Structures are given as structure tokens and as C-alpha cells.
Amino acid sequence: MNEKVSTKTDPMISTDEIVKTYDGEEQIRAVDGVSLEIESGSVVGILGPNGAGKTTLIKSVLGLIIPDSGTVRISGRDTADLGSQRYEYVSAMLEGARNIYWRMSLRENVRYFTGLQGIHPDDVREENAELISRFGMTEKADEPVRNLSRGQKQRASLACILAQRTPVTFLDEPTLGLDVQASEVLQTELRELTQTGDRTVILNSHNMDVVERLCDRVIVLKDGKVLTDGSVSSLIDAFNTQTYEIRLSEAASERVRSEVEQIAPVSWYGDNKRFNVTVESSSKLYRLMESFDNLGVAVAAIETEEPDLEDAFLRMTDAANEVRHTA
Amino acid sequence: MSVAQYRALLRVTVEKRVHLFRRYLFDSVFGVISLFILFALALFGGQQVAPTVIDGSKGGLVVGFFVWTMAVAAYNDISQQIETEAEWGTLEQLSMSPFGIGTVVFLNSIVYVVGSLISGVLTLVLMLAVADVPLSIPLGVVPIGILAVFPVIGLGLLLGGLTLIYKRVQAISGIIQLGFVAFIAFPLNAHPLVAAIPLTLETRLLEKTMKAGSLTAVQSEMLVVLVVKSLGFLVVGFGAFYLLQRESRRRGVLGQY
């Protein structure tokens, strides 16, 4: 087998001008010239609205889709030269738990996926047992996977991917369809997995909490292009607006609502006493307070809401939409 | 990849086949029983309708039926295996093996076919006992039986490759399975090229070996033709599968079902 670690100079994964179009009634450019580099040991989230090209990009890197043009390099080597050898470096959990054999037990699945990498499962019996135990699945290891709960199936699937012992792991919607508790358990396990620093993880999820908690870098795709690429905190800071919930002492009249809406876009609750407003600077908030004073309306309470990655993401993709529509 | 790594892959592939056989035990066992019932119906039903015809060709019927069931089993094992793996969502995982999807699917196919050969030989023993025909099962049956299955594996891989792109190819699949009956019944001496058709030459050679009780009854040049043809079909089928799976990756439909 090849050495599975990248050199210090080469990024673990790099793509150069990847383009992929699909033919249909109209041609769709799913990935449109994406170039990026992912360092070894980093945890990167790939975000984007539906149809942004996330899955096509990930599958292009995995070799499950052949791009029309562009280059994918793993550990500095062109995947066109690597061929199937690329799978000594990368593995992927795609479509949640749908990528293991549900009629087989977790232990049998782990053995199979170990062997699929060319590793004799008897040589790593102890390590595999440890892996199963790490996911808290020892007692369920001999049950057919189909008898497990959804959360346990996801964990079983993740264990099978890790049994392949590749330095890079792609996770496509790892918490999809899980209830809050099962999602929390899986997120805790994922966090432990990513904190070791010796594994590169590329994560695609609609669950912003998962991305915010696990990733140190986020790439946002939109219409097949990279919209932004940076750390989670820089992304939140870039759109660091403050949202307030303001409660008035009485229901606002038509005139008051009209005055307020001229200062900033607001969303009223049904009782017309409360509204949410998002402002970029505190001066706008002062203007609002002034106008309430002038109109003789008393403010009963002001509460702030902390911005998170989801707010930043929504604002970013909305902003991109606005730019596209006005262009 | 080293020999040890291939051994690891073979080991887990066999294990997977055994596990799935056990988990689908009813279906697996009933498959063998239903084949035997089908044969009994053909034999005893035929004896009722045309006793002289059936009694005069019982040997051919047994061998022909055996070859047909083996061919259909092998063919279905391969093409359906690919469709089923896509449905389960495991096909993309098989594609992400350093051995390459071609090797993984081919090895899977061989393991499935060996399983079918074992159940096929069991059925053959039962058929011989019921039909009461002067045929034996010498060891020579094994190489011819294996070589007979190779062209079918080739066709299965071709159809499996088409499945990756078009997802449902049952219409063609049905025609091919029906075609196997015609191939088996084809007169070998009609034209020299008939020997190149899958299953025609194989059926005659199997019958000859079982009648004589030894492989020595078969002319060596016939064996050469059989080997070349069988390997030819296998290589072409494998090549077609490779190209078709590449095309499915180009179209971005590999894991779809």
C-alpha cells in the first residue's frame, strides 16, 4: 500500500477549476470552476442551498462522478494517475446509514469494510472491537443492522467508514433524520473524532449547529461556485448583525408600524405588540427608540438574540440571490 | 495490491455471501426446491403428454435443464447483484475500494456463481435420482461446468454495466434468459460458428462427459474451442462493464437506482 500521509507542502485535497455539467432538457452547470485546498487534519464544512453543487463536488473528489474538466489532487497526486488507489486515502459516509448491509450485523459489516480496503479483518480484530465499543455499540454489535434504531444505524455506518482507516473522511448529512437526542450523541462522537487532529473530515450538512460545532472552516457554495471560504467565526463576523426582539406596552397603530418600517425591516408578531428587527449598527436601534419617543409609544422590553452560523449563511445566500436578481 | 490484500478481499466477500445466504435462508432454500419442482414438472408432465419423446431424451433433458438453471442463476446473480447493491446504497461503497469496482464486482460474481454451482450440483444429483437415467457425475463435469458459466458471467457483467446507466434493464434480461433455452437446444452441427454461441457447445460436451463417465470422451480441440470462447466472453464482458461503469460516473448516475 502507498504511504497514506501527505507531505507538509501538499494539501491533503485540492481541486483546480472543477467543472461538471449535466445534460437534460436544459444543461445544468452543477459545479462551475471550483478550486480549493483542504489541509491535512482540518475539519471543513461544505454548505450551500439545495442545488448548490455540494454533492457533485464531493462525489467528483471521491471519483464517483467524473468532472468535465479540472483536476483533483489527493496528497499532491493527481487522481487521474491514482485511479482506485485514491481510496487508500478517502472514504465516505453517503446517504446516512444507507451504505452498509442492513441484513448483516455491525460486527460483520465492520469486517467486510475492513477487507474491502485489503486489510485482513483478523489482523485488526482488537482495533475493530475497540471501534465498535467507542460508538457504544458493543451490545448491539451482533444484531442485524436493520433491527437497530435510526441513530444506532448512523453510528454503525460511521463505524464501518472508520474501519476503512483512511486519513480523509467525507460525511454527507451525518445527522439527517435523527431526533435531537440521537443527533446530540452522534455529534459528540463526531467531535471526539475530529479533535484528534490526525484525520481530515469534510462535512456536508444542512444542520448549521453541527457545522458550527465541528468545523474549523466553512466553504459556502452557491450555483456551483464558491461563495465564500473561511473560518466559522470570520463568517459570522462578516455578517455580524444584531437581532432584537422589541415589546411595546400596547399594540402599535398603523402609523407607528409604518414609521418603524421606514427605519428598518421588521417582522411583527400577530398581536402587533412585539416585533423582531435586525440592524447592522446600534445607531439604527437608537433611531427606532427616538421615533417611539416621538410617537408617544412606550417600549416595555428589548431582548437581544445572538447571531449564529445559520443567520450568517441565510444572509449570505440571500445577498447572493439579490445580487443575481439585480444583475 | 498484494496477494495478501486480495486474500483479505476474497475472505470477506465469501463471508458476506454466507451471511446474506443465512439471512435470506428461506428464499435461498426455496430457490433450490422450486428449481427441482420445475424440473419434475417438465419431466413427469412431459412423460404424460409424449412418453416416447421424453423417455428417449431424458439424459439431454437433465443436462439441458442443469445448464439452463446454472446459466440463469449465474446471470441473475451478477446483474441483480449490481441492481440490489445500488438499491441498498452499498454500490458506491464498493466503488470506493482500492481494488476498483471492477475487481470487487467480479470477485463478488465469482463467489455468487460458486454458490450457485454448489446448489446446482445438488439439484443435479436429485434430478438424476428422480429421472433414473444412465448418467454419472464424473469430475470432468466441474471444469466444463465452470467454463460453461464464464460466457454467462460475461453477459451478466455486460447487463450489470447497463444497469448502472439505465437502472432497469429487465426487458433485455428476460430476452437473454429465454435465449439461453434456445442456445442450449441449438444443433451444434448446423454451422461451425454455432460453437461460438454460449451454452450450445457446453451442453453437448457435458452430456458426452456424463454419458462416458469421463472427460477423456471429449475431443481436445473441442476443449480448446470451449476455453477460448469462454475466456473471450468473460474478458469482453469485463471490459464492457469497466467502460459502462465509467460512463455512469461521467453521467453522475453510479449510485442512483
Side-chain angles (χ1 to χ4, degrees):
Chain A
M1 277 209 181
N2 283 351
E3 186 59 42
K4 289 185 180 178
V5 289
S6 64
T7 65
K8 279 190 176 167
T9 48
D10 292 320
M12 182 51 95
I13 304 276
S14 66
T15 69
D16 184 25
E17 289 294 315
I18 295 283
V19 173
K20 181 68 191 173
T21 49
Y22 292 117
D23 296 330
E25 281 177 21
E26 56 181 287
Q27 203 176 54
I28 299 164
R29 214 168 167 87
V31 176
D32 192 2
V34 171
S35 301
L36 50 88
E37 290 188 349
I38 293 171
E39 300 304 322
S40 175
S42 57
V43 184
V44 178
I46 297 186
L47 298 180
N50 290 335
K54 305 181 297 285
T55 303
T56 302
L57 177 64
I58 287 174
K59 288 193 173 180
S60 297
V61 175
L62 289 170
L64 297 174
I65 287 174
I66 299 174
D68 301 336
S69 61
T71 315
V72 176
R73 288 178 186 277
I74 296 178
S75 195
R77 292 178 65 188
D78 192 333
T79 51
D81 303 328
L82 275 174
S84 295
Q85 268 188 331
R86 80 170 79 191
Y87 303 117
E88 293 177 8
Y89 298 87
V90 296
S91 57
M93 177 174 148
L94 304 169
E95 298 187 59
R98 263 196 80 243
N99 44 190
I100 57 174
Y101 296 92
W102 285 21
R103 288 270 175 173
M104 284 161 50
S105 71
L106 169 57
R107 205 181 304 281
E108 291 161 356
N109 268 291
V110 165
R111 276 183 73 83
Y112 181 69
F113 285 102
T114 304
L116 205 57
Q117 278 289 323
I119 303 164
H120 200 294
D122 287 344
D123 296 343
V124 288
R125 194 190 296 265
E126 292 299 314
E127 291 96 316
N128 280 350
E130 207 174 290
L131 181 66
I132 291 169
S133 150
R134 186 165 130 199
F135 282 91
M137 298 287 288
T138 306
E139 282 178 19
K140 298 278 181 186
D142 296 309
E143 286 246 357
V145 170
R146 68 188 179 130
N147 294 348
L148 304 178
S149 70
R150 191 160 186 157
Q152 288 168 336
K153 281 188 185 116
Q154 303 274 80
R155 278 144 69 194
S157 181
L158 189 55
C160 290
I161 301 309
L162 298 183
Q164 295 177 43
R165 295 163 171 79
T166 56
V168 184
T169 306
F170 284 80
L171 303 173
D172 187 16
E173 295 289 0
T175 57
L176 186 70
L178 297 186
D179 58 38
V180 177
Q181 198 182 4
S183 175
E184 279 295 322
V185 171
L186 191 67
Q187 282 183 56
T188 305
E189 278 150 7
L190 285 172
R191 202 166 48 236
E192 280 172 17
L193 174 78
T194 54
Q195 273 172 350
T196 56
D198 56 358
R199 182 182 290 274
T200 310
V201 176
I202 295 136
L203 181 82
N204 165 29
S205 178
H206 277 96
N207 187 334
M208 298 293 164
D209 286 344
V210 174
V211 176
E212 196 171 342
R213 284 171 70 178
L214 300 177
C215 299
D216 26 65
R217 178 179 159 203
V218 176
I219 296 166
V220 180
L221 294 182
K222 179 107 172 69
D223 299 328
K225 294 177 194 281
V226 175
L227 193 61
T228 190
D229 180 350
S231 67
V232 173
S233 55
S234 71
L235 188 61
I236 294 171
D237 287 346
F239 288 86
N240 196 5
T241 54
Q242 187 65 60
T243 301
Y244 299 91
E245 185 186 300
I246 299 177
R247 188 151 47 84
L248 306 176
S249 55
E250 60 193 66
S253 65
E254 184 81 25
R255 187 173 156 233
V256 170
R257 293 208 302 275
S258 159
E259 284 278 331
V260 168
E261 279 157 21
Q262 279 177 23
I263 298 169
V266 299
S267 54
W268 289 92
Y269 287 82
D271 59 4
N272 280 341
K273 281 174 78 175
R274 281 180 305 152
F275 64 90
N276 283 327
V277 61
T278 304
V279 290
E280 294 83 10
S281 62
S282 52
S283 62
K284 269 202 176 171
L285 186 69
Y286 291 124
R287 273 186 63 200
L288 266 176
M289 295 303 109
E290 254 177 46
S291 91
F292 284 131
D293 252 1
N294 296 338
L295 292 162
V297 178
V299 174
I302 300 177
E303 285 174 19
T304 56
E305 290 174 11
E306 283 303 311
D308 60 10
L309 184 62
E310 185 158 6
D311 295 328
F313 172 73
L314 289 173
R315 286 178 62 80
M316 181 176 291
T317 48
D318 283 351
N321 267 341
E322 277 168 26
V323 169
R324 200 180 54 181
H325 288 140
T326 51
Chain B
M1 306 298 284
S2 69
V3 175
Q5 287 173 312
Y6 277 100
R7 220 169 30 227
L9 179 64
L10 180 63
R11 167 73 181 261
V12 295
T13 306
V14 172
E15 281 182 9
K16 183 180 102 175
R17 180 72 192 113
V18 172
H19 294 317
L20 292 176
F21 183 87
R22 275 174 40 220
R23 303 286 145 74
Y24 290 98
L25 192 61
F26 177 79
D27 192 44
S28 309
V29 171
F30 194 74
V32 176
I33 293 171
S34 61
L35 276 180
F36 180 68
I37 292 171
L38 195 66
F39 170 74
L41 281 175
L43 179 72
F44 297 123
Q47 275 176 333
Q48 292 297 314
V49 177
T52 48
V53 176
I54 291 293
D55 285 339
S57 57
K58 268 201 284 193
L61 183 70
V62 168
V63 175
F65 194 84
F66 169 67
V67 172
W68 181 75
T69 54
M70 288 309 311
V72 169
Y75 172 80
N76 278 344
D77 281 347
I78 298 163
S79 56
Q80 279 185 4
Q81 174 215 142
I82 292 166
E83 197 177 315
T84 308
E85 296 271 3
E87 267 178 35
W88 287 344
T90 44
L91 187 69
E92 285 182 323
Q93 289 298 327
L94 300 189
S95 313
M96 288 187 280
S97 164
F99 293 97
I101 186 173
T103 308
V104 174
V105 167
F106 182 69
L107 211 57
N108 254 335
S109 306
I110 296 292
V111 170
Y112 269 74
V113 167
V114 169
S116 296
L117 267 174
I118 293 168
S119 59
V121 169
L122 283 175
T123 319
L124 180 63
V125 172
L126 279 175
M127 286 194 296
L128 287 174
V130 169
D132 188 27
V133 286
L135 291 176
S136 59
I137 309 178
L139 275 179
V141 164
V142 177
I144 296 181
I146 291 170
L147 286 169
V149 170
F150 277 9
V152 179
I153 295 177
L155 286 172
L157 286 170
L158 170 68
L159 258 286
L162 288 172
T163 306
L164 293 179
I165 296 175
Y166 300 107
K167 307 306 162 192
R168 295 270 169 203
V169 290
Q170 275 146 352
I172 310 174
S173 206
I175 290 168
I176 289 181
Q177 288 183 37
L178 210 63
F180 289 158
V181 179
F183 294 163
I184 290 166
F186 236 78
L188 189 59
N189 51 7
H191 192 276
L193 282 178
V194 169
I197 295 173
L199 305 177
T200 310
L201 176 64
E202 291 84 334
T203 309
R204 302 298 168 274
L205 297 188
L206 265 181
E207 195 177 350
K208 217 169 186 177
T209 308
M210 289 170 75
K211 267 186 184 158
S214 161
L215 189 62
T216 51
V218 176
Q219 293 164 302
S220 53
E221 55 267 37
M222 283 290 109
L223 278 177
V224 172
V225 171
L226 179 64
V227 170
V228 171
K229 179 186 81 173
S230 297
L231 291 177
F233 267 95
L234 191 64
V235 169
V236 169
F238 190 75
F241 178 80
Y242 178 79
L243 293 175
L244 290 166
Q245 64 84 21
R246 221 184 131 70
E247 176 61 15
S248 77
R249 287 177 199 244
R250 198 192 62 75
R251 294 187 188 196
V253 296
L254 181 70
Q256 293 176 9
Y257 65 98

